[in-house]
Amino acid sequence: MITLKQLRYFGAVARTRHFGRAAAECAVSQPALSMQIRDLEARLGVELVERRPGDVTLTPVGVEIARRAEELLAGARDLEDCARHHAGPLAGPLRLGVIPTLAPYVLPKVLPALQRHHPELTVELRESQTRTLVDELGRGLIDVVMLALPVEQPEVETLALFEDPFVLAVPAADPRPATTPVAVGALVEERLLLLEEGHCLRDQALAVCAGGRGDAGGLGATSLATVVQLVASGFGATLLPQVAAAVERDNTRIKLLRFAAPEPGRTVALAYRRTSPRKADFSVLARRITEALGVSDAGALPTAACRAGAAVPA
């Protein structure tokens, strides 16, 4: 009978297209991994990979076996989760993925709350871009992801947490009064500084800016903190989520301007596999997150949290 170990090794080869990298990922020697793959091929009676110097290509049947193997491995992890779930809500390990435009702003409040209310919980964090986290979620490598909607994956369910309006961050010397709302249409005149390709916030900002038109200024950055520093240095403006504005509000080199209603923004949510047995856990997690951030379920972040409409001293 084929084993989960063999499927895991083959899954690593399918992802990396390299026996050496797959062996390193699985923490085994390359000969041991190769032997398990050959044994899997013998048991299935098919060739799964084409072996060439320095390269690995999956056969057509290998592509299909790799897809089904990932489903089986995710199911095995769900089986373990089902057993752990009987220990009580939010107990044991929880592999939590968080996108970079949320992690530094929500985790300092959320993690202490989880530790206080659920001392038996062990959170294993994974910070990465949405596409990577959703892929790892589908493969069963993480349990739940905190991200911004939408998620267009049929095997993924979502649970809305809160609305996160955008504010416009401009240099402190900008002449516009902080108490006057900015029209969204005025963004076409702004030199917008955006995160680099792959960040969902970049796509959301471009969508707000006249249906995807805008000037990225050639200064794509990997973090909001870097973008804010570029704004403070006078390179342009940026759309800042209110959850981040709550942290950046004391930066005297920038000014935060609210948008006129209806304010653009994003919906922050939890995403998890439709087949996961831990949905009750995720409901509790959602409640802890909204409590820690001071919002009602799926409500908006409190305006007082960032004072985006208040003047920032120059």
Side-chain angles (χ1 to χ4, degrees), residues 61-136:
V61 68
V63 172
E64 178 64 14
I65 295 298
R67 184 186 68 80
R68 292 175 179 266
E70 291 291 355
E71 293 177 353
L72 289 171
L73 291 169
R77 296 185 185 99
D78 285 345
L79 187 66
E80 294 178 346
D81 286 343
C82 183
R84 293 195 195 101
H85 180 67
H86 288 281
L90 288 184
L94 178 73
R95 297 165 297 181
L96 172 64
V98 189
I99 60 175
T101 57
L102 284 171
Y105 308 110
V106 303
L107 293 181
K109 293 183 178 180
V110 169
L111 292 182
L114 289 175
Q115 189 175 44
R116 183 168 62 254
H117 291 285
H118 304 280
E120 301 301 318
L121 178 68
T122 303
V123 178
E124 301 173 10
L125 284 174
R126 172 82 165 101
E127 181 181 342
S128 191
Q129 295 180 5
T130 300
R131 186 180 305 171
T132 298
L133 293 177
V134 171
D135 175 68
E136 293 179 356

Side-chain angles (χ1 to χ4, degrees), residues 193-213:
L193 305 176
L194 305 175
L195 291 170
E196 66 178 1
E197 294 283 351
H199 288 272
C200 60
L201 184 59
R202 175 190 176 89
D203 298 332
Q204 292 159 353
L206 287 173
V208 169
C209 184
R213 294 189 300 275

